[in-house]
Amino acid sequence: MKQFTQQLSKFDPITGVVEGAPPAIERRLSDLKGVFADELAYEAALAEEDSLVYSTYCVAPEQGDGAMLYCIGKFMPGRIGAEYYMTKGHIHARPETAEFYFGLRGQGVMLLEDEASGDSQLLPLLPNGAIYVPRHTAHRTMNTGEVPLTYLSVVLADAGHDYEVIAARGNFRKVVVDLDGQPTMLDRAGFLESLSR
Ligand code: MN
């Protein structure tokens, strides 16, 4: 007989916490060196306060091929120059694994970048909205609003995180900036040039 031992897990869409679970990831500004294009604005913000940017809590009931997990993420609102607070961004260590994101509270966007073509897409991450991150796609989340953003993500348990692939080519090819109150995707090179003027 199969013994079913899993417990009910409860996530809180406001606090972004799973009851009784330790945080899987907690990232402060100091953990995000090299993520923001505007390095002067980043250093200035970090000198002021090493703020908490985001945290995740995850539930992985089983391991092995085909097993799944979910995480709840809580993202603080903030800007570094014209850029929004954002995640480090990753592709899966098993890049053939896709992922779903479901918005719970607040306003955000996700930047997707296809590994083969380098093509990018910017999608809104909003309450009751689902974003499908296709296989072989790097992804980064941002809070574009003024209140904490919370979301759920669902993925294969052994998908993993690879940050090196993106770091090795410098960063994501696109930056997302607040342009007249609208999240706007720009070429990184053009944005860097506008900063140096
Ligand atoms: Mn992922």
Side-chain angles (χ1 to χ4, degrees):
M1 284 269 283
K2 163 111 177 163
Q3 294 292 309
F4 290 95
T5 55
Q6 70 169 306
Q7 306 288 309
L8 173 71
S9 67
K10 287 187 78 177
F11 59 86
D12 186 322
I14 296 169
T15 61
V17 167
V18 174
E19 252 174 46
I25 290 179
E26 268 187 334
R27 291 213 205 281
R28 295 183 172 276
L29 270 184
S30 58
D31 300 314
L32 298 172
K33 197 164 178 53
V35 163
F36 297 93
D38 191 340
E39 289 182 2
L40 286 177
Y42 169 78
E43 292 299 341
L46 184 56
E48 206 162 289
E49 194 190 343
D50 188 11
S51 307
L52 180 67
V53 179
Y54 60 95
S55 63
T56 63
Y57 288 74
C58 298
V59 177
E62 64 174 352
Q63 300 296 321
D65 200 20
M68 299 183 79
L69 63 75
Y70 81 87
C71 299
I72 185 165
K74 183 182 187 182
F75 218 110
M76 303 314 291
R79 304 280 196 283
I80 299 296
E83 296 169 280
Y84 304 98
Y85 272 11
M86 68 180 96
T87 54
K88 207 169 171 181
H90 65 269
I91 187 158
H92 295 149
R94 282 186 60 193
E96 74 281 12
T97 54
E99 184 167 16
F100 264 117
Y101 277 75
F102 304 98
L104 297 175
R105 291 280 196 283
Q107 284 190 309
V109 294
M110 287 190 75
L111 176 62
L112 307 184
E113 185 176 295
D114 177 64
E115 277 299 294
S117 65
D119 290 344
S120 301
Q121 189 180 17
L122 188 65
L123 293 168
L125 181 58
L126 298 171
N128 305 331
I131 292 180
Y132 180 67
V133 179
R135 301 171 305 141
H136 300 282
T137 304
H139 42 290
R140 167 174 275 170
T141 310
M142 297 160 218
N143 185 346
T144 58
E146 306 302 329
V147 298
L149 166 74
T150 55
Y151 56 89
L152 289 174
S153 62
V154 183
V155 71
L156 283 181
D158 62 356
H161 297 88
D162 187 335
Y163 303 102
E164 299 311 313
V165 169
I166 295 157
R169 62 171 175 260
N171 208 319
F172 282 63
R173 291 169 175 87
K174 301 284 187 183
V175 294
V176 179
V177 298
D178 182 339
L179 214 65
D180 301 325
Q182 287 301 315
T184 307
M185 188 167 72
L186 302 173
D187 281 326
R188 179 169 301 276
F191 180 63
L192 287 171
E193 201 183 304
S194 76
L195 289 176
S196 63
R197 270 190 229 123

